[in-house]
Amino acid sequence: MKILIANRGEIAVRIIRAAHEMNIETVAVYAKAEEDALHVKLADEAYCIGEKHSSESYLNMENILMSAVHSGANLVHPGYGFLSENPTFRKLLRECSIGFIGPSEETMLQMGDKSMAKSLAKKAEVPVVPGSDGEVHSLEEAKTAAETIGYPLLIKASSGGGGKGIRIVEKEEDLKGAYLGAKKEALANFGEDGVYMERYLKNPRHIEFQILRDQHGNTIHLFERDCSLQRRKQKVLEEAPSPKLSETLRKNMGEAAVRLAEASDYLGAGTIEFLVDHEENFYFMEMNTRIQVEHPVTEMITGVDLIKEQIRIALGHPLSVTQEELKLTGHAIECRINAEDPDNGFMPSPGLITFLHFPSGKDIRVDSGCYQGLRILPYYDAMVAKLIVHGKNREEAILKMQSALYELSIEGIVTNQSYQEDLLRESFFQSGEYHTLSLDSFQRGTVDGAV
């Protein structure tokens, strides 16, 4: 058995380690500029797939497919980002008789299109944010939909992601500019300009449920992650479980996530994302048909290795755990350590890591593709490491993360480490009273962004 990892960085390292623990050989792919990358060193085989830019390498389907065929790989794990949710890549692998660790292309297409996913959620009796019935194809349709939805509202790209193709419209006179702007940005980023509209929820929490579904129809959820702390719609810190979900709400949201996974005929590990308002109303937002960056916090509170489960599912094995057997234990927090300068508009900070010391100890985990002497390149994501801790409760987890950040030492590049340290001390985080816009007003400990 051999798995090719169509990715790089910490997630490639994470997958390689899980595969080796299952006695499975691994194949790495890499851009020419990354021949010294850690995932290349750890894999059993490695193939160069192109030049330094992602479009020439990690998004080069032909070269990745050639590497998979040449290496004799039985399965491809896409990680996250890049080609992980690309139905064309999934289809090409199938045509080459190579397995894919993830759902079918039909499921990807259905759940990747936000308006289609919303329609399916309605059929599965999963609450959705009130909005347009599918895509809005003209300005006149947008005006008609706005009369029903009311202001403020959101215009969102149907094939969107990463905060692209989204406009908030506060009043009617702003509708035209926002509609045309969202369509233009959607076309530029996703190759198509379809948009839909929905009610704008003020200061919601972003809660996501991890699900697993095997080829035998077994479906479970592994509780929730709170991903509300975002800067420009990019997640900064995640924790599990959410500090503000009641047991009743957790149960209802988990059951809704399972219904949607079953309705979409999902296969593998996926994430159902919800928005939750002040009255504990929850609404389906989107589904990510891949492993998430923040999956370690779920692993810490459940004891389930999600990467190994993905591989087991792809090999046709049943889930190793039932819903009844799962227990939510303790509290976990993840801080994303990025090569970026918080004091300079979070500008990327590529360069040579001249010294690196990661913290260690009981229930402290570091997921990283970096080492001392590695050069952080400007062509890819700026993540240096994910620092994850687990405590018997949230208070212990916060103290453990503060201690771990104190011990973390990275020299040669600027990182957001100090930003994370300040965030952990902020009152809105300490109390758990935060939302998706809290970081917009966070000024390194001087402004309280509480609800």
Side-chain angles (χ1 to χ4, degrees):
M1 179 57 60
K2 189 181 290 187
I3 295 175
L4 181 143
I5 299 94
N7 217 298
R8 61 173 299 280
E10 65 86 14
I11 190 60
V13 171
R14 168 77 180 90
I15 296 164
I16 290 168
R17 287 171 174 161
H20 283 172
E21 289 174 15
M22 299 174 75
N23 199 29
I24 296 173
E25 293 183 24
T26 57
V27 182
V29 294
Y30 63 95
K32 189 175 290 186
E34 287 204 298
E35 60 184 357
D36 292 327
L38 184 57
H39 75 284
V40 177
K41 296 177 182 292
L42 294 181
D44 299 288
E45 301 174 50
Y47 294 86
C48 181
I49 52 171
E51 299 297 328
K52 58 190 179 184
H53 294 291
S54 298
S55 59
E56 304 167 309
S57 53
Y58 299 106
L59 291 172
N60 190 322
M61 284 188 260
E62 182 179 353
N63 286 357
I64 294 174
L65 286 166
M66 288 175 61
S67 299
V69 171
H70 183 73
S71 66
N74 309 93
L75 294 167
V76 168
H77 196 308
Y80 53 73
F82 295 131
L83 298 172
S84 63
E85 296 180 282
N86 189 305
T88 300
F89 182 57
R90 172 72 172 88
K91 179 174 180 288
L92 290 172
L93 285 169
R94 179 170 52 79
E95 291 173 349
C96 292
S97 299
I98 298 172
F100 181 79
I101 299 177
S104 67
E105 57 263 36
E106 291 81 11
T107 299
M108 280 189 190
L109 285 166
Q110 185 177 45
M111 302 312 293
D113 184 296
K114 289 183 172 58
S115 59
M116 289 177 63
K118 187 175 179 180
S119 296
L120 185 65
K122 289 180 180 178
K123 292 179 182 177
E125 298 183 346
V126 177
V128 300
V129 179
S132 60
D133 186 14
E135 290 186 357
V136 177
H137 298 99
S138 68
L139 182 58
E140 288 306 312
E141 281 189 28
K143 290 178 179 178
T144 301
E147 291 175 0
T148 301
I149 298 169
Y151 293 93
L153 57 81
L154 283 175
I155 301 176
K156 304 175 74 172
S158 296
S159 300
K164 304 292 185 181
I166 298 177
R167 295 291 188 278
I168 299 174
V169 187
E170 298 284 353
K171 50 188 183 301
E172 184 178 356
E173 48 264 42
D174 298 332
L175 181 63
K176 179 178 179 180
Y179 174 77
L180 297 175
K183 288 179 72 68
K184 183 178 179 180
E185 188 174 2
L187 182 62
N189 285 277
F190 311 114
E192 52 185 56
D193 67 352
V195 298
Y196 66 102
M197 298 166 58
E198 65 183 26
R199 181 180 300 163
Y200 177 60
L201 302 179
K202 185 178 180 181
N203 298 340
R205 295 187 84 97
H206 179 148
I207 306 293
E208 57 188 37
F209 271 72
Q210 178 73 58
I211 59 97
L212 288 172
R213 190 165 193 264
D214 63 25
Q215 297 181 35
H216 308 278
N218 301 310
T219 313
I220 62 172
H221 73 81
L222 293 93
F223 309 109
E224 84 278 5
R225 301 184 285 256
D226 199 317
C227 303
S228 304
L229 287 171
Q230 305 172 12
R231 192 187 66 81
R232 298 175 184 170
K233 302 190 185 300
Q234 299 296 313
K235 297 167 186 174
V236 173
L237 179 154
E238 302 94 358
E239 57 181 319
S242 171
K244 291 296 175 181
L245 242 64
S246 66
E247 285 299 326
T248 299
L249 184 56
R250 177 174 293 117
K251 178 178 181 294
N252 292 340
M253 292 178 73
E255 291 173 351
V258 167
R259 287 199 304 274
L260 186 52
E262 292 174 340
S264 64
D265 195 22
Y266 196 77
L267 182 67
T271 301
I272 312 292
E273 302 197 352
F274 298 99
L275 293 176
V276 181
D277 66 19
H278 290 293
E279 285 76 42
E280 289 203 337
N281 298 306
F282 68 94
Y283 305 96
F284 168 71
M285 183 169 61
E286 63 182 357
M287 182 178 192
N288 287 297
T289 56
R290 53 173 168 78
I291 197 72
Q292 293 278 92
V293 175
E294 57 273 19
H295 76 272
V297 291
T298 295
E299 295 182 327
M300 297 291 256
I301 64 167
T302 62
V304 176
D305 188 315
L306 292 171
I307 302 297
K308 288 182 180 179
E309 289 297 316
Q310 283 188 297
I311 296 171
R312 286 174 52 82
I313 291 168
L315 292 174
H317 300 306
L319 298 179
S320 64
V321 64
T322 66
Q323 192 71 65
E324 292 70 30
E325 291 170 335
L326 279 171
K327 302 298 179 186
L328 196 165
T329 305
H331 198 92
I333 300 173
E334 173 181 292
C335 287
R336 302 189 187 196
I337 306 302
N338 299 328
E340 58 189 16
D341 187 355
D343 296 321
N344 189 26
F346 290 89
M347 289 291 292
S349 175
L352 180 68
I353 299 176
T354 58
F355 178 80
L356 178 62
H357 170 74
F358 286 134
S360 61
K362 186 178 183 298
D363 295 327
I364 295 175
R365 168 177 166 179
V366 179
D367 283 17
S368 177
C370 294
Y371 57 87
Q372 187 170 308
L374 182 72
R375 183 171 294 276
I376 302 296
L377 300 171
Y379 318 116
Y380 315 113
D381 184 88
M383 186 183 293
V384 175
K386 299 184 314 197
L387 182 55
I388 311 107
V389 302
H390 181 263
K392 64 183 178 183
N393 52 44
R394 188 170 187 262
E395 291 71 27
E396 182 177 284
I398 291 172
L399 289 170
K400 187 167 290 190
M401 180 60 81
Q402 289 174 326
S403 177
L405 284 168
Y406 176 79
E407 186 179 340
L408 176 66
S409 182
I410 306 172
E411 296 180 7
I413 58 172
V414 179
T415 74
N416 66 335
Q417 179 178 346
S418 62
Y419 181 85
Q420 295 280 15
E421 290 171 332
D422 288 347
L423 176 56
L424 286 172
R425 288 190 292 265
E426 192 70 8
S427 60
F428 67 75
F429 177 75
Q430 291 275 334
S431 66
E433 298 288 350
Y434 56 80
H435 51 77
T436 57
L437 298 180
S438 291
L439 294 188
D440 288 358
S441 58
F442 175 49
Q443 301 294 326
R444 309 293 297 279
T446 62
V447 176
D448 194 331
V451 177

